[in-house]
Amino acid sequence: MTARKSGSRLETEIERCRSECQWDKIPELVRQLSAKLISNDDLGELLLAECKLQTYLKENPMKQGASPRAPRPKLLEVRKHLTAALDRGNLKSDYLQEASLLMAKLCYVEGEYRDALGHYGRVSLDELQLAGAPVYRLSIIAESYATKGLCLEKVPTASPSRSNNNTGSPALSNRTASERDQEIITCYEKSGDIALLYLQEALSAGLQNRSPKPGPVAQDQELGYFLETGLQRAHVIHFKNGNLTRGVGRFREILRAVETRTTQNLRMTIARQLAEILLRGMCEQSYWSPMEDPPTVSPLDDPAQQGHTHSNKTYSLSRRPRVYSGENLFCPQENTEEALLLLLISESMSASVVYDLLTIALGRRGQYEMLSECLERAMKFAFEEFHLWYQLALSLMAAGKSARAVKVLKECIRLKPEDPTIPLLAVKLCIGPLHWLDEGERFAKMVVDMGEKAAEFRTKGYLAIGLVYSLKATDASLRGTQEEYQRKALGAFQRAQSLSPTDHLASFYLALQLAVSRQIPEALGYVRQALQLQGDDVHSLHLLALLLSAQKHYQDALNIIEMALSEYPENFNLLYTKVKLETMCRGPEEALLTCKHMLEIWKSFYNLTNPRYKHTHTHLNLHIL
């Protein structure tokens, strides 16, 4: 039972790595897989072949119209792995299909287009199930349709004498050019639809499995040559054939699909191209609503192609990409209205890209005030765009405009109420420069109220509540109120430490609150625990020294301070405590030397930050000494 569970976890990890294109992790997973069962060797061969082919394509990107490639050593390794997996015949049916599809892709990369079509004919792409398919398999199927379309474009129409060549592909039978074009277009349209579905599913899986630790939410998926071809090639052929009706329809289908960041540049390009067609090539009489079926005969299309092209789709899929829907969606009623909508959408997406680059450029120069002003102007493009609101909040924080940053963070919370990091940023501002303690308490409770959804950030929420109560106790004028807030702060820190006993900050703040409450032995226990978790934390070292001095262990406290100063030689808090302890242990003369050292550090720092007053203050410092 244990081995079975372990194998299941390993297969899940393999699926995740394939979905997220983390090919560098596959060899180690294959090693673990082969160590469990000998029958897994064929699956390992398949995974290694896929890993090496994808790595090769990343290092040697394919380009549209490139000439066939001769076999390379790395591609020979790919073929060797695939041949081994296919010849032994131990693979499960799904993996056997994937191996054949991968072999077809390899044949295309090597320029063997007929061989690739033969593999596709034996697998029968149209019979592959999309319902319930893992995310990575959707990518494989989408790439396969695109690759098949590329092969069909490169292989000339066969003559009757060559129709029985056992390739297994109907592409080489004696058919009309229009039928062949229709098959090619269908391949590309299926590829594009499944590619959109794959990107939507990959984003959804990434958000569900995201780590609670700070960092990127989910890695953006790369389209790659084959998926990009599937999304772009169909409408190119439609327009080349003079069929604007289907070209416009294809544009609309892609734009209606629920978007991902990966397709943002593609959507922006399509929006501009479609707007140009609507304004320059379509009159009001030939316009049809995006929610209606396109006309079967249209003045937009080349008259010579009438009867040879089809305005409607000739295929269906068991799963289609999600599209925007709802009662309140705006639907344009004429061509100029739709063109205007498209141009506004394009402007909005373009602004997002431009302001991302502007953030990098101004951030590197520390021009945060200018950045915040630029981002505020961008808000007219933002609407419900969380990304720009969040950038604005961060730039306001960096520019020292804390009150406005909190207002913007409230909008970010409205757009993403499930993200615990946003209210935690607001808490930091409220209990720091603003001293808005009631507001800070509300933000901290948002995180705590998320429960398990906040994951390890829930600990940070309790720490924030504890800090708020501790500061309220400091501000309180009545002793009873002080004691009540101190009791609440202690309870919050205890809760944080119990939730995350390996978090050194939780142990440190609990120790600090115990020290404030004069529970010195208990505080010593927790500050030592904090130092076991983070031995070089300056605050924990300082607190330990203060607690030892409170127990009149002055020499031990001084030893701790000197050890801390070896790591943080210019820390004024440590130096100030050292002066006090040296007065107790070594006398005032030793303490005076430390005071002079502190003045020298202050003089050096002040002169570096204020060069215009260097000479005046140097004279003053010498006079003091």
Side-chain angles (χ1 to χ4, degrees):
M1 180 65 71
T2 304
R4 185 177 300 172
K5 288 182 179 179
S6 176
S8 177
R9 285 197 300 269
L10 189 58
E11 289 179 5
T12 301
E13 180 66 12
I14 288 171
E15 286 188 12
R16 187 187 66 80
C17 289
R18 295 177 81 185
S19 299
E20 298 177 3
C21 302
Q22 296 182 4
W23 305 114
D24 57 320
K25 296 183 179 180
I26 291 295
E28 173 58 24
L29 293 172
V30 169
R31 187 189 64 77
Q32 298 177 32
L33 187 71
S34 299
K36 297 187 178 300
L37 289 171
I38 299 298
S39 59
N40 286 336
D41 286 349
D42 286 353
L43 177 56
E45 297 279 11
L46 167 61
L47 294 173
L48 288 174
E50 182 180 34
C51 171
K52 291 181 179 181
L53 180 56
Q54 298 287 45
T55 303
Y56 174 84
L57 291 174
K58 188 174 183 179
E59 295 172 353
N60 305 272
M62 301 199 66
K63 296 179 181 179
Q64 189 69 36
S67 58
R69 303 172 179 217
R72 308 270 178 97
K74 289 187 178 179
L75 294 181
L76 292 175
E77 291 180 19
V78 175
R79 184 172 289 276
K80 179 181 176 182
H81 287 302
L82 284 175
T83 302
L86 289 167
D87 286 353
R88 284 196 290 261
N90 294 326
L91 289 172
K92 296 178 183 177
S93 60
D94 286 350
Y95 290 133
L96 188 62
Q97 291 172 342
E98 290 176 17
S100 296
L101 296 178
L102 200 60
M103 182 66 87
K105 182 177 176 180
L106 174 63
C107 290
Y108 175 82
V109 174
E110 292 180 336
E112 301 294 338
Y113 307 126
R114 292 181 183 276
D115 289 346
L117 289 171
H119 286 289
Y120 287 131
R122 285 190 287 274
V123 172
S124 187
L125 278 174
D126 293 338
E127 295 180 7
L128 298 181
Q129 293 298 313
L130 301 179
V135 175
Y136 71 87
R137 199 154 201 261
L138 295 175
S139 173
I140 293 173
I141 297 172
E143 284 192 344
S144 298
Y145 273 114
T147 311
K148 182 179 178 182
L150 287 166
C151 290
L152 288 171
E153 283 197 85
K154 291 187 178 290
V155 175
T157 305
S159 63
S161 61
R162 297 178 61 189
S163 60
N164 297 321
N165 54 7
N166 296 322
T167 62
S169 172
L172 302 183
S173 63
N174 187 25
R175 295 173 300 159
T176 65
S178 62
E179 289 175 336
R180 189 168 179 277
D181 281 349
Q182 183 57 50
E183 182 181 7
I184 293 170
I185 289 170
T186 299
C187 284
Y188 288 137
E189 289 189 344
K190 284 183 176 180
S191 173
D193 288 346
I194 300 171
L196 290 171
L197 177 62
Y198 157 66
L199 292 170
Q200 291 171 355
E201 293 294 307
L203 177 62
S204 176
L207 290 174
Q208 290 174 5
N209 299 328
R210 71 174 184 176
S211 170
K213 297 180 181 179
V217 172
Q219 182 180 3
D220 285 344
Q221 299 294 323
E222 294 183 2
L223 277 178
Y225 172 75
F226 296 100
L227 294 184
E228 192 170 327
T229 299
L231 284 165
Q232 295 186 351
R233 188 69 182 146
H235 58 256
V236 171
I237 298 177
H238 286 316
F239 293 138
K240 181 181 176 182
N241 291 344
N243 195 338
L244 264 67
T245 303
R246 282 196 65 180
V248 168
R250 188 60 189 162
F251 274 165
R252 286 171 166 176
E253 287 171 0
I254 294 174
L255 290 172
R256 283 193 63 198
V258 175
E259 63 184 306
T260 65
R261 292 190 67 85
T262 307
T263 58
Q264 190 174 59
N265 290 336
L266 172 65
R267 295 167 71 89
M268 190 164 56
T269 301
I270 287 176
R272 287 200 302 266
Q273 290 176 341
L274 180 53
E276 186 171 1
I277 292 171
L278 290 168
L279 291 173
R280 297 190 180 191
M282 184 183 291
C283 62
E284 293 184 11
Q285 288 73 26
S286 59
Y287 181 82
W288 74 97
S289 170
M291 305 302 291
E292 298 173 354
D293 291 331
T296 53
V297 178
S298 171
L300 292 175
D301 300 333
D302 183 355
Q305 296 294 324
Q306 295 288 351
H308 298 287
T309 57
H310 305 275
S311 296
N312 298 313
K313 282 186 178 295
T314 58
Y315 68 89
S316 60
L317 293 174
S318 57
R319 286 180 70 192
R320 300 193 61 81
R322 297 187 301 278
V323 298
Y324 290 110
S325 60
E327 296 180 359
N328 297 322
L329 290 182
F330 173 75
C331 182
Q333 299 301 313
E334 47 96 9
N335 56 337
T336 305
E337 198 173 63
E338 183 175 351
L340 183 58
L341 175 62
L342 290 166
L343 290 172
L344 289 172
I345 291 172
S346 180
E347 182 185 28
S348 173
M349 288 191 286
S350 177
S352 179
V353 173
V354 168
Y355 283 108
D356 278 351
L357 295 174
L358 195 62
T359 299
I360 295 171
L362 291 176
R364 287 177 178 175
R365 298 181 65 87
Q367 300 287 340
Y368 298 111
E369 188 164 354
M370 182 184 293
L371 175 60
S372 64
E373 292 172 358
C374 292
L375 287 169
E376 281 191 270
R377 289 196 297 270
M379 287 300 102
K380 63 182 178 180
F381 302 118
F383 305 110
E384 300 289 288
E385 179 62 45
F386 168 82
H387 178 65
L388 283 179
W389 281 102
Y390 194 57
Q391 292 279 43
L392 176 59
L394 294 176
S395 67
L396 289 169
M397 287 177 63
K401 299 178 180 179
S402 303
R404 292 172 66 190
V406 169
K407 290 182 179 179
V408 176
L409 285 171
K410 286 181 180 178
E411 181 65 17
C412 293
I413 291 171
R414 185 186 70 79
L415 293 172
K416 250 188 181 178
E418 75 285 354
D419 191 336
T421 62
I422 306 171
L424 284 175
L425 276 177
V427 172
K428 184 177 180 179
L429 294 173
C430 289
I431 65 179
L434 295 173
H435 205 72
W436 294 351
L437 299 184
D438 290 337
E439 192 85 351
E441 183 180 355
R442 281 193 289 271
F443 285 123
K445 285 183 176 178
M446 286 182 190
V447 180
V448 170
D449 291 343
M450 290 181 189
E452 296 299 325
K453 293 180 181 179
E456 67 182 34
F457 289 111
R458 194 179 180 197
T459 299
K460 306 295 184 186
Y462 277 109
L463 287 177
I465 289 177
L467 287 170
V468 168
Y469 288 144
S470 182
L471 290 170
K472 283 188 173 184
T474 304
D475 291 349
S477 55
L478 298 176
R479 184 174 183 82
T481 306
Q482 287 180 347
E483 291 176 350
E484 176 66 16
Y485 280 131
Q486 286 177 354
R487 183 185 63 78
K488 287 184 176 182
L490 185 61
F493 289 136
Q494 286 172 333
R495 180 64 171 148
Q497 201 275 335
S498 66
L499 281 173
S500 186
T502 59
D503 186 340
H504 78 281
L505 286 177
S507 297
F508 165 74
Y509 280 115
L510 178 54
L512 181 60
Q513 189 59 41
L514 287 166
V516 171
S517 303
R518 307 303 299 171
Q519 301 180 47
I520 306 302
E522 293 86 350
L524 274 168
Y526 281 109
V527 78
R528 288 190 171 113
Q529 183 175 330
L531 285 168
Q532 287 177 349
L533 297 168
Q534 188 78 24
D536 60 348
D537 180 54
V538 63
H539 303 296
S540 298
L541 289 168
H542 196 188
L543 179 58
L544 176 59
L546 292 172
L547 291 170
L548 289 172
S549 67
Q551 292 187 325
K552 302 186 184 302
H553 301 312
Y554 301 121
Q555 187 58 52
D556 291 340
L558 182 57
N559 293 339
I560 294 292
I561 290 292
E562 289 178 336
M563 181 180 69
L565 283 168
S566 66
E567 291 290 332
Y568 307 96
E570 297 183 353
N571 187 296
F572 260 63
N573 290 327
L574 294 176
L575 287 167
Y576 183 76
T577 304
K578 182 183 179 185
V579 170
K580 294 283 189 180
L581 291 171
E582 282 181 329
T583 303
M584 302 291 295
C585 297
R586 300 173 183 171
E589 292 185 0
E590 285 280 342
L592 185 58
L593 290 175
T594 301
C595 289
K596 290 179 179 180
H597 176 59
M598 291 172 70
L599 285 171
E600 287 293 333
I601 293 173
W602 174 81
K603 179 184 71 173
S604 174
F605 175 76
Y606 195 83
N607 287 342
L608 286 172
T609 55
N610 297 272
R612 288 180 295 175
Y613 304 113
K614 179 176 180 180
H615 299 295
T616 304
H617 288 283
T618 299
H619 174 74
L620 176 63
N621 291 339
L622 290 174
H623 179 71
I624 293 172
L625 293 173

